Structure formats: structure tokens, C-alpha cells
């Protein structure tokens, strides 16, 4: 067997390079920062809004139910301003599928609608499913209801249509099968079809064997759509959630050009290893600063707090371009 050589090496010391560097202020947000009682805050969607960083984070209360809370900051690191009550809450009376809360939002600016689309997980009687809400201001939300039946989660939209159709990335799951990342199309954001696997969970010992899912919303770059996804490795001690990258064709995002063999980010710090669910890093959003070329990734640490890690887009692209095309045999 050919000796394994890492995709990139640090020139100085032959170690793995760290594409994403953690903020020294991590964890940047904990439940104590909220202006009302909450158990945990984690797994934030992220976007730029009026020249500020806007996060929509999952907040769990002491019933075990989640809602979404907005956090806004000028520098994207500190002085977060929160709403005094849940920004987007479950409304089981109107939307019965939101019975046990709403979780893990991904935010996409829809160019044709001139609205942000928020795809989130609703916790229904039959398990998780995908719901959609639209907003112009992150104050008033137009809930569109469920768009995928259970089990399905980890969804995000592309910001524009391809061949007249919207594209949704999501992660359906049924017992006894692997959890792969799928893509579906729609002309109206409500009826979805042409479902197909986009990225498959690998087999055996891989870090992303058996269960993967989209993490942040797809990021448009001149070289293609950058995809950040999580892989779940089951070990004797439990699951480890780590992150990998893929690159999709710019004009036809159903085509995967590259996929990282290695994880590029994993739980290492105490706030990522210890918490309600240890050994989990779980971003739901990242933001590219066009002026600096820096990508800020906001992630949940151990289902308990929010961390920030940054990378240069040019480093991410250089890395993914060195990665192989995805293989059927993985
Ligand atoms: C996933 C989602 C995430 C969570 C992760 C680890 O299935 O439920 O919200 O962060 O598990 O518990």
C-alpha cells in the first residue's frame, strides 16, 4: 500500500497545518451572555447584515427545547447585542412540526427574492425535519413551514437558481442506512424533487464514515462553491464531530470537483471536548470578508457554547485544489 502523505504540511516542522485558527477570545459566546435565562447557546448560522456580523444561534432552555437567538456585533468577536427574548421561536400551535423546538439554522441571501432564507431543523413528533423562513430584517420572519419530511436536517440553500431551479443541500436519514449529503431542486422553494446524493459518507475507518452532513451554507468563490461539512466518527467512547471541505462546480453545483481526505478542524480545546455533548465542533455559518479575504467560521463547541475560527480563503482554496476528486470507492 502506498504510504499516506498529508495533503499539506507545515514547512517548518512537518506537522499538519491548521487552516483555521481559533480566536484567543474563545468561547466568544456562552449562555451567560444572553439577557434571559438559558441553558446553552451553540451551532450558529452566520451572515453579514448592515456591515455587522449577525449570528442566529440555537439556544436550549431547561425543558430541553431550542429556539433561535440573534447576536449582532461590529467586530464579529465581542460586544454582542442580543434580543431580550427569543428571536425566532417554535410555534407548535401554527406549525405542529415545531413541537419540541427549532435548531441549527443556516442563512443564505437569496438574490432574486432579496430576502434571507433561513433553513432550520424542526423537532417534530417523528424526528427532525427541515423548515424554511424568510426575512428582510431579522425582526419579522415569514415562516414557510416544513419543506422536507423527517428524518432530514443540515440544510442550506444556494443564493440563486441554476437552470431556473433553486438548489437545496440536505441530509435525509433512515434507520439502518448511511447518512449522505443530498441535493434537491425546486422552482418555488416548496415542492422539492430531482433528489440525488451529492457527497457520500465513506466506509470503514474514515473520519467521515457512515454519517456526514452540511455544516455552513455554500460559499461562492471564483474556483467553485466551497462546502464545509461534518463527519461523525463513532468510537468506543462515543461520536467525534469533525469538519472537511469539498469544492463544487460553479455553474453546476451538483458536480463535486474535490473532496478533502483529511479533516481540517476537530475538537481539541476543552470547550470543544467537554460540555453537554463532548467532542463536537458544529458550525452552521461562515462569513467571507471580501476586503481582507478572511473567512470567519462560527461554530458550536460541545453543544454548549460558540467559538470562532478564521482562515484565509486563499489557503482554503489552495488546500482544496490539492485534494483529490471524490472516489466511488471511498
Ligand atoms: C447533530 C445535531 C447538532 C448537534 C450534534 C451533536 O445531530 O443535533 O445540533 O450539535 O448532533 O450533538
Amino acid at each position: 500500500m502506498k504510504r499516506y502523505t498529508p495533503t499539506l504540511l507545515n514547512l517548518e516542522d512537518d506537522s499538519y497545518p491548521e487552516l483555521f485558527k481559533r480566536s484567543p477570545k474563545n468561547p466568544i459566546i456562552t449562555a451567560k451572555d444572553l439577557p434571559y435565562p438559558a441553558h446553552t447557546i451553540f451551532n450558529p448560522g452566520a451572515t453579514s447584515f448592515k456591515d455587522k456580523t449577525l449570528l442566529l444561534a440555537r439556544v436550549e432552555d431547561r425543558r430541553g427545547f431550542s429556539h433561535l437567538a440573534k447576536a449582532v456585533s461590529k467586530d464579529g468577536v465581542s460586544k454582542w447585542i442580543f434580543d431580550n427574548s427569543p428571536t425566532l421561536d417554535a410555534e407548535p400551535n401554527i406549525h405542529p412540526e415545531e413541537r419540541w423546538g427549532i435548531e441549527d439554522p443556516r442563512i443564505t441571501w437569496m438574490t432574486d427574492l432579496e430576502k434571507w432564507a433561513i433553513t432550520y431543523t424542526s423537532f417534530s413528533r417523528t424526528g427532525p425535519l427541515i423548515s424554511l423562513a424568510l426575512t428582510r430584517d431579522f425582526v419579522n420572519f415569514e415562516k414557510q413551514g416544513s419543506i422536507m419530511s423527517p428524518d432530514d436536517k443540515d440544510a442550506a440553500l444556494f443564493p440563486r437558481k441554476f437552470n431556473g431551479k433553486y438548489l437545496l443541500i440536505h441530509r435525509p436519514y433512515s434507520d439502518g442506512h448511511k447518512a449522505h449529503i443530498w441535493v434537491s431542486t425546486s422552482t418555488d422553494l416548496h415542492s422539492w424533487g430531482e433528489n440525488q446524493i451529492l457527497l457520500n459518507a465513506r466506509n470503514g475507518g474514515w473520519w467521515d464514515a457512515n454519517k456526514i452532513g452540511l455544516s455552513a451554507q455554500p460559499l461562492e468563490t471564483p474556483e467553485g462553491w466551497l462546502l464545509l461539512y461534518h463527519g461523525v466518527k463513532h468510537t468506543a467512547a462515543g461520536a467525534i464531530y469533525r469538519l472537511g471541505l469539498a469544492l463544487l462546480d460553479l455553474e453546476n453545483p451538483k458536480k463535486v470537483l474535490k473532496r478533502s481526505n483529511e479533516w481540517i478542524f476537530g475538537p481539541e480545546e476543552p470547550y470543544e471536548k467537554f460540555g453537554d455533548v463532548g467532542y463536537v465542533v458544529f458550525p452552521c455559518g461562515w462569513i467571507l470578508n471580501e476586503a481582507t479575504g478572511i473567512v470567519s467560521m462560527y461554530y458550536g463547541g460541545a453543544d454548549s457554547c460558540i467559538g470562532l475560527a478564521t482562515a484565509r480563503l486563499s489557503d482554503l482554496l489552495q488546500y482544496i485544489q490539492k485534494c483529490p476528486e471524490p472516489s466511488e470507492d471511498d
Side-chain angles (χ1 to χ4, degrees), residues 5 21 45 66 76 106 120 150 166 190 193 241 266 269 274 311 318 320:
T5 29
K21 306 220 173 349
S66 294
R106 277 81 173 180
Y120 57 94
Y166 295 109
H190 288 273
Y241 279 69
E269 296 296 328
F274 308 107
Q318 188 191 41
I320 195 68

Side-chain angles (χ1 to χ4, degrees), residues 2-3 14 34 41 105 118 130 161 177 188 196 198 203 205 210 214-215 225 258 267:
K2 226 176 86 192
R3 192 176 170 272
D14 270 11
L34 280 159
I41 180 164
I118 301 156
I130 298 160
K161 290 178 179 169
H177 294 273
D188 62 3
Q196 65 179 73
L198 178 70
N203 299 314
N210 303 318
L214 181 75
S215 287
W225 296 91
K258 303 278 184 180

Side-chain angles (χ1 to χ4, degrees), residues 42-43 58 103-104 121 153-154 171 211 230 232 241 276-278 280-282 284 300 302-303:
F42 55 112
N43 298 6
R58 171 175 171 192
E103 310 176 348
D104 300 358
T121 305
K153 51 165 66 174
D154 301 327
R171 209 286 304 283
K211 187 177 179 185
H230 57 266
V232 187
Y241 279 69
D276 274 8
V277 187
V280 175
V281 286
F282 204 96
C284 290
D303 281 11

